[in-house]
Amino acid sequence: MNFEIKTLQLTEPFRIAHGTSATREVLRASNGELVTEAPFVPYYGEDPEQTLAVLQQAVLPEKLPRTAALALNLMRHEIICQQTGRPLAAFAESKLGAAAQAAPPGCRSFSIPTDLDAFEDRVREISQQFPVLKLKLGSGDLGLDIATVSVARMAAPDAHLLLDVNGGWDLAEAPLMIEKLAEYSPALIEQPIHHRLGVDAWEELRALLPGSPPPIFADESVQTVEDVRALADFVDGVNIKLLKSGSFDAAVAMVEAAKEQSLQVLLGCMIETSLGTTAAAHLAPWADWIDLDGHFYVTNDDYTGLMYDACGKLMMPNRPGIGAVPR
Ligand SMILES: [Mg+2]
């Protein structure tokens, strides 16, 4: 097995509540023709070179860095899928049962705007194709957060708006902002408070919310199946990503736990190439919402896999395994 780091050049510096970045790295594992990918995310603080050094040791440690663990897990699936001729989704189906419906409609994300006029034009344009728009809030300026949602709502009156705060509000601000933003009929509000505040803060937030608030989702607060269960009484849904879970198997287990708790599932991704987002997209039929557009931010995406048609409908490649191929 070979490992290498690929540096992704981003279309624009991506600004969210955690900070701004202009490049990202992904880990690539290859085994003959088979290649898998897992992203490095500043949030987890894993160093690409250190991860590579760990993988080049003669004996791998029991606990691998998250990114390495995911790339290796996907490779195990890829090898089996190539032998059986089945897509990665077949594994999910073996655990979760046949999906009740087709994949949810495609979504595009917008980083925190710096120019609201340019943002408005872009929202109008993108909403012609994509029925779901994800807006990054938590700018540190509550007025800008409200203006972002207001401008997007006017530019895209029929869009489903997913508002992702990335933990950018405190426990005093969050209930007020949720009540205010409910006026714009968002489909959901994600991670309004910081994950470091813990489960107690989610319980407190739930008690402070108005009568029928928009659905509240947890993202950074939900890393494991145990987190899904611990938050089940205080949130309406969870954001599940392959990297957070650390393996495709663990992501499937989190989807299963969410369904057991009657929680909605938002399937997300990181900034990664089509090889990474296509792997995640195999879980789309079991999700209520998908946010799988990480590859759109990459100018040097060297794979092709999942696509969206003119109406934003997700189209998966018809090949075994992940199914993405080099461009
Ligand atoms: Mg999020």
Side-chain angles (χ1 to χ4, degrees):
M1 189 116 54
N2 284 307
F3 301 97
E4 62 174 12
I5 306 294
K6 178 179 169 68
T7 299
L8 309 183
Q9 307 294 332
L10 307 190
T11 50
E12 57 183 294
F14 198 80
R15 184 183 172 210
I16 63 169
H18 301 304
T20 303
S21 49
T23 60
R24 287 287 178 90
E25 274 85 36
V26 292
L27 175 68
R28 288 272 172 87
S30 56
N31 186 350
E33 295 276 285
L34 307 182
V35 185
T36 63
E37 175 180 300
F40 290 98
V41 176
Y43 165 74
Y44 287 114
E46 285 182 357
D47 179 68
E49 294 305 325
Q50 278 174 12
T51 301
L52 213 48
V54 168
L55 286 167
Q56 278 152 359
Q57 290 168 10
V59 180
L60 293 182
E62 202 163 302
K63 178 124 178 67
L64 283 168
R66 178 184 302 269
T67 299
L70 175 58
L72 283 172
N73 172 266
L74 287 172
M75 182 58 79
R76 279 195 286 277
H77 281 290
E78 194 65 12
I79 290 167
I80 294 166
C81 286
Q82 296 301 326
Q83 285 167 354
T84 58
R86 304 175 77 189
L88 184 54
F91 173 79
E93 188 167 333
S94 73
K95 300 283 177 189
L96 299 169
Q101 72 267 322
C107 164
R108 287 295 308 268
S109 300
F110 296 79
S111 77
I112 293 169
T114 46
D115 174 341
L116 283 173
D117 289 332
F119 171 72
E120 182 178 357
D121 293 344
R122 187 99 181 104
V123 167
R124 192 169 287 121
E125 182 200 328
I126 298 276
S127 68
Q128 302 300 309
Q129 183 184 1
F130 289 88
V132 185
L133 307 177
K134 185 170 196 180
L135 310 179
K136 291 289 191 177
L137 306 181
S139 62
D141 173 350
L142 299 181
L144 175 59
D145 285 354
I146 294 168
T148 299
V149 180
S150 160
V151 165
R153 178 46 85 210
M154 287 211 290
D158 301 323
H160 300 282
L161 298 180
L162 316 186
L163 309 181
D164 187 2
V165 190
N166 287 115
W169 298 333
D170 66 28
L171 203 41
E173 294 163 346
L176 301 173
M177 288 297 282
I178 291 168
E179 187 167 11
K180 175 69 193 163
L181 294 177
E183 292 171 21
Y184 301 98
S185 308
L188 60 92
I189 300 181
E190 186 179 330
Q191 195 71 38
I193 53 172
H194 205 280
H195 63 277
R196 274 197 298 266
L197 297 174
V199 176
D200 292 352
W202 283 98
E203 183 169 12
E204 205 173 319
L205 175 64
R206 180 52 69 181
L208 292 168
L209 287 181
S212 34
I216 306 295
F217 278 48
D219 180 1
E220 289 86 343
S221 290
V222 178
Q223 305 281 335
T224 62
V225 163
E226 290 69 39
D227 294 336
V228 173
R229 295 193 182 122
L231 282 178
D233 289 343
F234 314 122
V235 300
D236 303 289
V238 289
N239 184 330
I240 296 174
K241 302 171 188 165
L242 296 188
L243 183 71
K244 283 204 302 185
S245 311
S247 70
F248 193 78
D249 306 55
V252 168
M254 285 177 74
V255 172
E256 194 173 21
K259 303 264 172 211
E260 277 167 15
Q261 304 287 339
S262 304
L263 296 174
Q264 289 189 61
V265 170
L266 165 58
L267 180 63
C269 66
M270 303 295 182
I271 292 177
E272 43 198 320
T273 73
S274 293
L275 180 55
T277 54
T278 305
H282 283 272
L283 286 173
W286 292 273
D288 300 281
W289 301 96
I290 55 171
D291 172 22
L292 298 170
D293 67 347
H295 55 284
F296 284 113
Y297 300 95
V298 177
T299 61
N300 56 338
D301 183 1
D302 53 347
Y303 272 76
T304 178
L306 73 88
M307 308 275 242
Y308 294 100
D309 73 6
C311 304
K313 183 172 178 282
L314 176 69
M315 296 183 301
M316 292 296 282
N318 186 15
R319 281 184 284 267
I322 296 171
V325 289
R327 277 179 198 273

